[in-house]
Amino acid sequence: MGSSEPQRAPDDAHPAERLRVGVVAGVTVTKWARIWAERRPGTPLEIVPTLEADQLALLRGGSVDLAFVRLPVDREGLSLVPLYEEVPVVVVPQDHVITVVDEVSVSDLADELLLQDPDTVPAWRDLAVAHRGAPLPPVPATGSMGDTMALVAAGVGLVVVPMSVARLHHRRDLTYRPVTDLEPTRIGLAWLSDRTTPEIEDLVGIVRGRSARSSRGTLTPAQAPRADPPVRRAPAQRGGASAPARGARGDQGRRRRAR
């Protein structure tokens, strides 16, 4: 009898010890983590909270295997699936004059001080500079978003953030209103294309709504399903306004073309 060489085990026979997932502030992954635990009980999902400024550095540096990121990002070397959009809101004290309306525009904020880098809200920056006819005053230094919210509550200034971030840092002395003429912020799921693993493919499938029986395949940036129905958050139950239903507008467009 001739000797035979040992057969190489398939990738799934040696699963990763864990899957590390970066999660930028405001993203809720509870549902996806629960489904993951049901399908991959032998591979723990490690959730790593990340700052928006650090989200790509952690991914490219190998601190996380994939990440829920706030777009836009540098896509070089990345596979990325766009997921959903968020309405930008301005956070104000409960007794602020803005609270008498349901929504505001950037022009309504021209006299206000935003407690953030002006370049993060360029439409407000340009309007505020033109309105004042002078450079903007310096922004007080804060150590965290929680510190910034405390300054807003104290009446020092306001802050424009995605709605989920406003909810995450909710306080009884603060509220928020949608800013109608700012572009929505977007959330996507990203990972390094050359480090794609079966575990990453499985989590991407879960986030995209694939069933456990669906076939698995590596996704590339070119294959990212921009036209697919986005993964959406549950409607807001307390305060504020929810993001507009973009799908409804798309349906109307298709009906008009069909006529």
Side-chain angles (χ1 to χ4, degrees), residues 225-246:
R226 294 180 180 275
D228 283 0
V231 178
R232 295 193 180 276
R233 295 180 175 277
Q237 298 299 318
R238 299 189 300 272
S242 58
R246 296 182 176 270

Side-chain angles (χ1 to χ4, degrees), residues 241-255:
S242 58
R246 296 182 176 270
R249 291 199 293 270
D251 289 344
Q252 293 170 1
R254 284 192 291 270
R255 287 197 293 269

Side-chain angles (χ1 to χ4, degrees), residues 5 33 64 80 114-115 120 137 145 199 217 228 237 247-248:
E5 295 183 358
V64 296
L80 189 144
L114 294 193
L115 302 176
T120 62
M145 182 57 69
E199 290 77 22
D228 283 0
Q237 298 299 318

Side-chain angles (χ1 to χ4, degrees), residues 8 40 47 83 96 118 124 140-141 148 152 155 195 200 205 209 236 239 254:
R8 182 179 179 181
R40 286 271 194 165
I47 304 302
L83 297 178
H96 196 281
W124 170 82
T148 299
V152 174
R195 297 184 191 174
I200 287 177
R254 284 192 291 270

Side-chain angles (χ1 to χ4, degrees), residues 172-186:
R172 292 185 177 181
D173 50 2
L174 295 177
T175 188
Y176 56 86
R177 294 292 184 269
V179 185
T180 58
D181 49 353
L182 289 181
E183 288 294 319
T185 61
R186 296 176 294 148

